[in-house]
């Protein structure tokens, strides 16, 4: 058999590894700042660009797409070449991918701090960057499939199955969730509204976790854990069941993020059922990883790399047990909107993604630089810092979540809310927020130890950018055995494999999303619901710009504890003109769905809103809300109003024909009315300031459904 000589491209792996380290430091440093802001509001610095609502998406996107994303590409570019016995398909595509991805990350960070966001969880990028991301993702897939098609290995190893599913599904999710109508060179409105937008968003959001934070890292686990332990994967058959069951079931589970909301009950029930079923393949993967270490557990004692990997796989098991349990309705009624969700997410992000990335880097650097790890002791110190950091981060949040949700639901013997002031439930758990800062600091300190350790390792050796390799040519079909099974055959057919994986992931999404559009009874019409006025629309966009929906929900669930606190529970027809929906997923502050109902439980005057936005701590010294002084100073840009009205009209919002031409007249009239009311209350403010638009929007919330008992 002819032996072919070629080389592996290590230079691209090296650059992605360095980018992983860099963005890990940046993302976690911003996360530490966000944690400080929740514990000590002074760290918002009273600046628009550093306020919690704007830096929070910088943190989440930097960790997910920059740190974890570059970690994925490091793993793929290293393992794919060696599993396929082939250099990457095209070096130019590799470098377009690398620099394009870094440019997208920088663009995201800049636009977020400037306030350009769609507000969609894990999909906050505006339309031009979304298009760029799509192009770069296609470049990545082109390069990956080109390499697969010219491979010298006969079958596709299990890690590559997960890489293929990742590429296909992320493409479908990103395109499906990002369809929007631009109204300016940088901003847009999503084509979906209300219930449909929420469903599509969490179809995307849940499966972004599944197919960006999970499946590629399972591929990473299946390659690097056996390599580090020098053991074969425990069970080939289990890996087949794990893969196909996981990618089919995962895509159905998104609605469990919307339990007890205005989403139709049948969709919620589907989300619960498939979430429970997900436990089986998820734990199958965990056991396959841990049992790979059979006979090699003595190595874990001495190897920091294996310590990181073992704890990572264990955290994967913990998270994938906790997720299905949180999808049970009675559990969800307690945990949703609390810090339990934050703790759950960070066990996955810090433990599964973070620790597996650290283990991979500790394995790769000595291999690629042909030297020993600079200090195994430092690596072990990093491990314990990271482990203690996770514990100090997550446990206080779990405890705080239980305390807060029980306070929300407690009634006095007279049938009244025991804690009617929402702020009481926040101040009670502030010590937990302080403990979270300590946990984050420990984890970040461990990261800095790793950076030093790896840089010293690299300086002691030399990375061979083009590593010489050789392999026999791939076997022809005529020489294959007749006893080959169906899946072994499929592993030789990457195109057919990709098609089957695509079908598997499309079924669930189509089954859940399409009926919400075709069956009108899913979203009953409410005649009293009207479009936002131009000033309210501008105010809503500022609300989104400042990330207010990060801390405030607009979804009153049908619980007595919520209707007593906020007012009438939320209906599906209320948000039909909301592009995007702002139901939210965390209550750091109270729900605002009934904020504007005159005489309602949540109603506040115009002057109260003005003073609250100007200085929340002056209103209540224990408030952790940031101040927004720039809203009082900045002039509202009304030049965008006609374009916004036209975009909304195109999306089906029933504004009168030609209303875009006169919309600013109504805007100015309403602004003057609010300014006059503020003046009567002793506050002088010009009628062209942004704060008036925000007040107008807040005072509109719930007025179309003003049912108060």
């Amino acid at each position: 058999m002819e032996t072919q000589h070629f080389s592996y491209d290590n230079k691209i792996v090296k650059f992605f590894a360095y980018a992983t380290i860099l963005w890990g430091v940046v993302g976690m440093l911003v996360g530490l700042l966000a944690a400080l802001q929740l514990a000590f509001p002074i760290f918002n610095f009273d600046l628009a660009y550093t306020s919690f609502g704007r830096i929070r998406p910088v943190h989440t996107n930097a960790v997910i797409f920059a740190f974890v994303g570059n970690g994925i590409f490091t793993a793929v570019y290293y393992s794919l070449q060696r599993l396929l016995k082939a250099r990457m398909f095209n070096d130019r595509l590799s470098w377009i991918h690398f620099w394009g991805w870094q440019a997208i990350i920088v663009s995201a960070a800049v636009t977020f701090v400037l306030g350009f966001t769609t507000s969609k969880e894990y999909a906050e990028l505006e339309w031009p960057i979304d298009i760029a991301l799509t192009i770069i993702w296609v470049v990545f897939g082109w390069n990956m499939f080109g390499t697969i098609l010219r491979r010298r290995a006969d079958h596709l190893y299990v890690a590559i199955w997960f890489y293929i599913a990742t590429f296909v599904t992320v493409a479908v999710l990103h395109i499906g969730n990002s369809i929007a109508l631009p109204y300016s060179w940088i901003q847009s409105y999503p084509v979906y509204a209300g219930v449909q937008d929420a469903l599509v968003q969490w179809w995307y959001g849940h499966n972004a976790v599944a197919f960006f934070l999970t499946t590629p890292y399972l591929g990473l686990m299946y390659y690097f854990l056996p390599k580090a332990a020098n053991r074969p994967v425990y069970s080939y058959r289990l890996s087949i069941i794990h893969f196909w069951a996981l990618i089919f079931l995962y895509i159905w589970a998104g609605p469990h993020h919307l339990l007890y909301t205005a989403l139709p009950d049948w969709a919620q029930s589907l989300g619960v059922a498939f979430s429970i079923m997900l436990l089986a393949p998820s734990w199958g993967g965990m056991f396959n990883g841990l049992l790979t270490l059979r006979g090699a557990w003595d190595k874990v004692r001495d190897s920091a790399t294996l310590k990181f990997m073992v704890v990572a796989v264990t955290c994967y098991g913990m998270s994938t047990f906790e997720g299905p349990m949180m999808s049970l309705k009675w559990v969800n009624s307690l945990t949703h909107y609390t810090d339990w969700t934050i703790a759950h997410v960070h066990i996955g992000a810090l433990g599964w993604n973070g620790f597996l990335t650290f283990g991979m880097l500790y394995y790769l650097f000595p291999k690629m630089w042909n030297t020993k790890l600079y200090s195994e002791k430092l690596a072990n110190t990093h491990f314990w810092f990271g482990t203690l950091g996770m514990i100090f981060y997550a446990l206080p949040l779990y405890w705080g979540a239980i305390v807060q949700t029980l306070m929300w639901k407690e009634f006095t013997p007279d049938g009244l809310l025991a804690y009617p002031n929402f702020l009481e439930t926040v101040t009670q758990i502030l010590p937990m927020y302080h403990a979270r800062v300590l946990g984050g600091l420990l984890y970040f300190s461990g990261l800095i130890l790793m950076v030093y350790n790896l840089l010293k390792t690299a300086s002691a050796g030399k990375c061979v950018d083009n590593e010489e390799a050789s392999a026999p040519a791939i076997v022809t079909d005529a020489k294959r055995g007749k006893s080959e099974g169906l899946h072994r055959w499929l592993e030789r057919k990457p195109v057919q494999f990709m098609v089957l994986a695509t079908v598997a992931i499309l079924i669930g999404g189509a089954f859940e999303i399409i009926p919400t559009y075709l069956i009108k009874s899913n979203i009953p019409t409410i005649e009293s619901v009207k479009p936002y006025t131009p000033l309210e629309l501008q105010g809503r966009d500022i609300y989104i710009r400042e990330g207010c929906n990060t801390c405030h929900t607009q979804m009153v669930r049908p619980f007595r504890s919520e209707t007593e606190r906020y007012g009438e529970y939320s209906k599906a027809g209320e948000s039909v003109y909301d592009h995007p929906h702002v139901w939210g997923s965390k209550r750091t502050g109270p729900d605002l769905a009934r904020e504007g109902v005159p005489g309602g439980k949540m109603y506040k005057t115009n002057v109260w809103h003005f003073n609250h936005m100007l200085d929340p701590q002056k209103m209540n010294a224990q408030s952790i809300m940031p101040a927004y002084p720039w809203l009082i100073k900045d002039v509202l840009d009304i030049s965008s109003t006609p374009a916004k009205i036209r975009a909304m009209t195109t999306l089906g919002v029933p504004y009168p024909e030609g209303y875009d031409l006169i919309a600013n007249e109504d805007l100015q009239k309403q602004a003057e009315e609010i300014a006059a009311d503020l003046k009567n209350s002793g506050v002088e403010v010009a009628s062209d300031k942004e704060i008036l638009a925000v007040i107008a929007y807040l005072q509109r919330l719930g007025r179309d459904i003003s049912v108060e008992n």
Side-chain angles (χ1 to χ4, degrees):
M1 188 180 297
E2 178 190 357
T3 299
Q4 299 180 348
H5 297 275
F6 57 97
S7 64
Y8 296 132
D9 183 3
N10 284 340
K11 187 175 182 180
I12 190 67
V13 179
K14 176 176 66 177
F15 271 64
F16 271 119
Y18 280 143
T20 302
I21 295 168
L22 170 65
W23 291 117
V25 171
V26 172
M28 293 178 201
L29 185 61
V30 176
L32 189 57
L33 174 60
L36 278 168
Q37 290 174 336
L38 288 172
F40 309 101
I42 193 173
F43 284 99
N44 286 277
F45 306 117
D46 285 350
L47 297 173
Y49 308 121
T50 55
S51 63
F52 178 81
R54 294 203 191 184
I55 71 156
R56 192 256 183 183
V58 175
H59 162 59
T60 55
N61 281 264
V63 170
I64 295 171
F65 299 108
F67 170 61
V68 173
N70 278 292
I72 292 168
F73 302 135
T74 302
V76 170
Y77 277 85
Y78 182 86
S79 63
L80 193 70
Q81 297 182 80
R82 285 153 180 83
L83 289 170
L84 299 177
K85 306 298 181 187
R87 188 180 179 89
M88 292 305 297
F89 175 66
N90 187 290
D91 287 2
R92 182 172 294 176
L93 289 179
S94 298
W95 289 107
I96 291 172
H97 176 204
F98 175 80
W99 290 113
W101 195 259
Q102 312 318 312
I104 288 167
I105 293 165
V106 172
S107 300
V110 171
T111 52
F112 291 155
V113 297
L114 291 176
F116 297 114
T117 173
T118 66
S119 85
K120 292 188 164 199
E121 193 80 11
Y122 315 135
E124 295 92 346
L125 298 175
E126 274 289 4
W127 70 271
I129 308 175
D130 271 338
I131 292 173
L133 180 59
T134 304
I135 293 169
I136 295 302
W137 192 253
V138 169
V139 167
F140 163 58
W142 180 7
N143 207 11
M144 181 174 72
F145 274 96
T147 308
I148 291 171
L149 292 175
R150 70 174 196 180
R151 69 193 185 281
R152 295 181 180 85
D154 193 14
H155 293 266
L156 301 181
Y157 178 65
V158 56
I160 300 174
W161 311 347
F162 284 98
Y163 298 158
I164 291 172
T166 297
F167 169 72
V168 168
T169 314
V170 169
V172 170
L173 293 170
H174 174 67
I175 294 171
N177 187 50
S178 300
I179 302 173
L181 180 64
Y183 63 82
S184 76
W185 67 273
I186 186 64
Q187 292 178 288
S188 61
Y189 290 128
V191 297
Y192 316 108
V195 171
Q196 288 107 336
D197 188 52
L199 179 59
V200 171
Q201 161 56 29
W202 284 112
W203 165 75
Y204 166 89
H206 180 78
N207 292 301
V209 172
F211 289 91
F212 200 85
L213 299 178
T214 304
T215 54
Y217 268 67
L218 288 168
L220 192 159
M221 178 195 79
Y222 274 115
Y223 180 82
F224 286 99
L225 183 58
K227 285 287 186 181
N230 196 25
R231 289 288 189 277
V233 169
Y234 171 68
S235 172
Y236 166 72
R237 288 185 176 87
L238 183 55
S239 67
I240 295 174
I241 297 169
H242 175 209
F243 173 78
W244 289 106
L246 192 81
I247 69 167
F248 175 75
L249 295 175
Y250 232 132
I251 212 80
W252 294 76
H256 78 219
H257 291 265
L258 299 168
L259 300 184
Y260 292 111
T261 68
L263 186 73
D265 282 343
W266 64 264
Q268 296 183 37
S269 298
L270 276 176
V272 172
F274 280 88
S275 297
I276 299 301
M277 286 189 277
L278 260 178
L279 185 59
S282 297
W283 272 45
M286 178 191 69
F287 285 129
N288 215 8
L290 292 178
L291 290 174
T292 295
L293 292 170
R294 68 202 186 285
W297 283 98
D298 58 307
K299 295 182 179 181
V300 178
R301 180 180 61 247
D302 303 318
S303 169
T305 298
L306 284 175
K307 283 190 182 76
F308 277 109
M309 291 184 176
V310 166
V311 172
V313 176
T314 305
C315 286
Y316 170 66
M318 291 168 60
S319 292
T320 53
F321 173 79
E322 189 180 23
M325 295 304 102
M326 290 170 68
S327 73
L328 295 171
K329 280 198 164 186
W330 72 269
V331 177
N332 187 274
S333 69
L334 295 171
T335 62
H336 200 49
Y337 297 146
T338 72
D339 285 299
W340 191 287
T341 306
I342 310 303
H344 165 65
V345 167
H346 280 80
I347 289 295
L350 300 177
W352 168 237
N353 297 115
F355 267 36
L356 200 51
T357 303
F358 300 151
M360 175 191 71
L361 292 172
Y362 279 125
Y363 173 85
L364 275 182
F365 268 65
K367 283 278 185 184
M368 290 179 58
W369 273 266
N370 297 302
T371 187
K372 289 184 177 181
L373 184 65
Y374 171 70
S375 173
E376 193 73 27
K377 186 176 181 180
L378 271 181
N380 277 294
T381 304
H382 173 201
F383 170 78
W384 289 112
F385 269 48
T387 302
L388 288 172
M390 280 193 291
I391 292 170
F392 278 103
Y393 188 103
L395 286 184
L397 293 187
Y398 285 132
W399 186 265
I402 294 169
V403 169
Q404 189 174 40
T405 195
L406 292 179
M407 291 178 74
W408 287 348
K409 293 178 179 295
E410 186 174 347
F411 284 84
T412 68
D414 297 323
L416 303 174
L417 287 170
Y419 302 97
N421 185 351
F422 187 92
L423 188 57
E424 291 180 275
T425 73
V426 176
T427 54
Q428 188 68 29
I429 63 172
L430 273 179
M432 314 306 173
Y433 286 5
H434 300 157
R436 168 170 55 185
V437 173
L438 174 61
L441 186 59
L442 281 170
Y443 195 92
F444 183 74
S445 300
L447 175 64
I448 297 303
L449 290 180
M450 184 196 74
V451 173
Y452 175 76
N453 204 358
L454 293 183
L455 291 179
K456 292 292 285 186
T457 301
S459 66
K462 184 178 181 181
C463 180
V464 179
D465 289 344
N466 295 287
E467 181 183 337
E468 295 299 325
S470 61
I474 194 169
V475 182
T476 62
D477 284 347
K479 297 181 180 179
R480 300 184 195 284
K482 295 181 179 179
S483 61
E484 182 179 56
L486 176 62
H487 205 274
R488 291 293 285 175
W489 172 84
L490 189 60
E491 290 164 29
R492 293 191 286 103
K493 304 293 183 181
V495 175
Q496 290 91 325
F497 193 102
M498 180 184 70
V499 170
L500 278 179
T502 304
V503 171
I505 62 97
L506 285 176
I507 294 171
F511 198 90
E512 289 175 344
I513 294 170
I514 293 174
T516 64
Y517 283 89
L518 298 184
I519 304 173
K520 291 186 177 181
S521 60
N522 280 311
I523 308 170
T525 301
I526 301 175
E527 293 220 6
S528 60
V529 174
K530 305 299 181 186
Y532 294 108
T533 68
L535 186 65
E536 292 162 358
L537 183 61
Q538 291 282 12
R540 188 175 195 271
D541 290 342
I542 295 171
Y543 179 93
I544 289 170
R545 183 190 75 189
E546 301 302 338
C548 300
N549 55 307
T550 299
C551 295
H552 295 279
T553 59
Q554 288 187 31
M555 177 54 58
V556 180
R557 296 176 294 179
F559 303 150
R560 181 181 169 222
S561 59
E562 296 207 4
T563 56
E564 285 295 317
R565 185 183 301 276
Y566 302 117
E568 181 71 7
Y569 69 88
S570 299
K571 315 294 194 304
E574 289 183 55
S575 53
V576 291
Y577 302 135
D578 286 5
H579 297 266
H581 82 288
V582 285
W583 292 2
S585 56
K586 171 70 172 70
R587 283 181 185 156
T588 306
D591 187 276
L592 301 180
R594 301 289 177 254
E595 186 73 12
V597 178
K601 294 175 170 61
M602 295 298 294
Y603 183 74
K604 309 291 191 306
T605 62
N606 290 337
V607 72
W608 187 95
H609 284 301
F610 181 93
N611 289 326
H612 189 234
M613 300 299 285
L614 177 62
D615 190 350
Q617 284 70 44
K618 188 176 180 180
M619 304 292 288
N620 192 310
Q622 294 180 307
S623 174
I624 61 171
M625 177 176 158
Y628 295 89
W630 57 92
L631 297 182
I632 286 85
K633 300 174 185 175
D634 291 351
V635 174
L636 178 66
D637 178 15
I638 64 172
S639 64
S640 60
T641 306
K644 290 181 177 184
I645 296 295
R646 286 194 295 271
M648 284 293 185
T649 303
T650 302
L651 293 172
V653 179
Y655 288 110
E657 186 176 351
Y659 185 64
D660 58 305
L661 302 176
I662 60 170
N664 275 329
E665 295 176 15
D666 287 351
L667 181 152
Q668 290 168 342
K669 181 180 178 182
Q670 187 177 6
E672 288 167 1
E673 290 172 355
I674 296 173
D677 181 71
L678 289 172
K679 186 175 181 180
N680 291 336
S681 301
V683 174
E684 289 274 0
V685 60
S687 62
D688 61 351
K689 302 303 182 184
E690 288 187 335
I691 186 64
L692 302 183
V694 175
I695 292 173
Y697 173 63
L698 293 173
Q699 296 291 31
R700 173 63 184 275
L701 296 177
R703 289 206 178 207
D704 291 345
I705 311 290
S706 55
V707 179
E708 288 294 331
N709 299 317

